[in-house]
Amino acid sequence: QVQLVESGGGSVLPGGSLRLSCVISGNHNRKYNMAWFRQAPGKEREGIASIEMNDYIHPYANSVKGRFTLSKDNAKNTLYLQMNNLKPEDTAMYYCAASGYPGTIGHRSPLPLWTIWGRGTQVTVSS
């Protein structure tokens, strides 16, 4: 059973940076599509970045394009999200997700395709 554990969240000033990590434990013999989502209070869960099994990185969500960067370290079984120039509207709970479905699966794909979720890490951007 694959498990995802996020870390790296916190409180920062506008313009600051954070790097989120998602450690993937469990069945390493199988490949997964991976993604970062976020959900602010009272809002729907938003997909912001994703990487397929073949290491193709989908275009980022417009809300984070040019500021956030997804990367993956296969040796460490860890997914990262580098977040720069953070804005108050980036305040949300950030989740890591995995999908074992074959084909083109990205953060714009329907949520039910993302079958494995971490518990999230909170990011707060405020002055």
Side-chain angles (χ1 to χ4, degrees):
Q1 182 72 14
V2 172
Q3 291 186 322
L4 308 176
V5 179
E6 305 95 333
S7 63
S11 296
V12 296
L13 296 172
S17 297
L18 285 172
R19 187 176 80 157
L20 305 184
S21 299
C22 171
V23 176
I24 308 155
S25 63
N27 184 1
H28 297 304
N29 293 322
R30 183 177 179 182
K31 288 190 174 183
Y32 292 88
N33 304 297
M34 302 295 301
W36 287 100
F37 291 80
R38 67 184 183 184
Q39 188 166 19
K43 294 190 176 181
E44 292 186 352
R45 192 162 295 192
E46 174 191 20
I48 56 176
S50 55
I51 182 168
E52 291 188 15
M53 297 179 190
N54 60 6
D55 290 338
Y56 169 73
I57 296 177
H58 285 253
Y60 296 85
N62 289 335
S63 56
V64 306
K65 191 179 301 182
R67 300 186 298 121
F68 290 12
T69 303
L70 179 152
S71 62
K72 188 173 67 168
D73 186 331
N74 291 324
K76 294 183 178 180
N77 296 312
T78 303
L79 186 74
Y80 299 101
L81 185 68
Q82 178 66 44
M83 307 187 296
N84 297 329
N85 190 21
L86 283 161
K87 304 176 180 180
E89 51 263 43
D90 294 318
T91 295
M93 184 71 79
Y94 284 71
Y95 298 92
C96 174
S99 171
Y101 284 97
T104 299
I105 304 295
H107 55 276
R108 295 180 178 86
S109 299
L111 283 180
L113 293 179
W114 296 96
T115 55
I116 303 168
W117 292 84
R119 293 190 173 187
T121 184
Q122 177 68 37
V123 172
T124 302
V125 185
S126 174
S127 56

